[in-house]
Amino acid sequence: MRYLRGTWMRGGTSKCWLFDDEALAGADADTLLAAAFGAGDPRQLDGVGGATSTTSKAAIVRRSDRPGVDVDYDFAQVGIGARRVEWGSNCGNCATAIGLYALLTGLVPAQPGRTTVRLRNTNTGTLLAATVATPDGTVPESGDVLVPGAAVGGVGVELAFLDPAGGTTGSLLPTGRAVDRFPLPATLIDAGAPAALFPVSAFGNAPFEDLVPELIRLRREAALRMGLATPDGPVDHAVPKTGVVGPPVDYRTADGVPVAAGEYDVAVRMLSMLAPHPAVGLTSAVALAAAATVPGSVVSPYHQGNVLRLGTPAGVVTVGIDRGPGGALAAVRMRRAARRIAVAEISVPEPALAPA
């Protein structure tokens, strides 16, 4: 039996297991995480995974030796029904949790008033800043900040994606165009994560669940055009993010809460690991905000200054946009919340660590 010590945290609308580097010492990370999560079973019954894309996540966290960075982390999207781990993406909700985790564990000392933890996602090179209120230099264990899609409050975390353009492909617009045609129009953008965004009107305004098979097909073509896959190779389940956007209309959230069209700017429905996302991933939110700043993109008609309000299945998510010299995208900011759920030792049977 192998024992894997970790911290289970909620960040935003995701749950993420966080591990110190030392916890995985001497192990193959892919094999160990897949076994610990029970990845081979679609129910993840014999592991700590939650059997959904938002609850089958992990990160390996360490102090950074890079100037201006406090913490490096490797983000892992663990398979559901497949013994695989994908390392090609990032998760802003997990980054929210890592910011609080770094303070709770002393990786970063708390300062009187407010403390900012500077993070680097090693998968993509993305730099982030997570700011937490630390009155008198103490780190809060709980809080009452609510985010759409979470029923319980958490510690408030102000999360910023810094200079997020081109982290994976090297360019904000990997094809050099604001709109590509499949022949449906789409904006292929790389900010926060690579994403393919389609106008829902191109599908005849059909319900999002009916669009999933076609969007899965289109995301493969998007991956090829963005240089994320080869014609004879597989496409990661985590990237590119894929979804549809449309004009604001009155709707009800998944919990039945009414949302008026005037409360948000653009309707958004995204895939996550090939299934509908219950809210919106933060890396997808960054991509949407970045696309809103590109003239002629499928999101630009809904851009309202330096704030973009996203109408998601869980409610309205507000995104702030900072511009640098010449109007270039400098940062995307969101108000999130995090909470430590447990510190535990995960027991991983040795047979589960054998190669598949």
Side-chain angles (χ1 to χ4, degrees), residues 57-272:
K57 300 180 177 185
I60 304 169
V61 184
R62 69 190 71 86
R63 279 195 178 91
S64 179
D65 57 6
R66 292 188 172 227
V69 179
D70 299 312
V71 172
D72 289 338
Y73 70 95
D74 315 324
F75 170 68
Q77 183 74 58
V78 183
I80 303 169
R83 290 184 63 180
R84 60 184 291 181
V85 178
E86 294 185 4
W87 302 92
S89 187
N90 186 18
C91 174
N93 280 313
C94 285
T96 301
I98 293 166
L100 179 59
Y101 170 85
L103 295 173
L104 289 170
T105 59
L107 275 174
V108 176
Q111 306 298 317
R114 288 160 57 87
T115 305
T116 295
V117 179
R118 296 159 295 182
L119 307 165
R120 182 175 73 99
N121 169 240
T122 61
N123 310 62
T124 63
T126 299
L127 299 175
L128 305 97
T131 301
V132 177
T134 50
D136 302 319
T138 59
V139 183
E141 283 278 359
S142 62
D144 57 6
V145 175
L146 285 170
V147 296
V152 177
V155 176
V157 180
E158 296 174 16
L159 188 70
F161 287 73
L162 308 175
D163 191 21
T168 300
T169 66
S171 175
L172 178 65
L173 297 172
T175 67
R177 294 179 290 273
V179 172
D180 282 74
R181 298 199 172 269
F182 288 68
L184 300 179
T187 293
L188 306 182
I189 196 147
D190 179 11
L197 307 172
F198 296 85
V200 71
S201 58
F203 299 90
N205 293 299
F208 183 63
E209 290 74 13
D210 294 349
L211 306 182
V212 171
E214 179 66 3
L215 286 173
I216 291 173
R217 186 190 70 79
L218 289 169
R219 76 183 291 275
R220 176 171 180 80
E221 177 62 25
L224 295 175
R225 296 194 190 192
M226 299 172 83
L228 301 172
T230 59
D232 56 349
V235 177
D236 280 356
H237 289 182
V239 290
K241 310 298 183 185
T242 306
V244 297
V245 299
V249 296
D250 295 349
Y251 76 102
R252 288 183 178 273
T253 69
D255 292 331
V257 178
V259 179
E263 295 179 47
Y264 67 104
D265 304 311
V266 56
V268 176
R269 299 294 184 269
M270 300 295 298
L271 294 182
S272 177

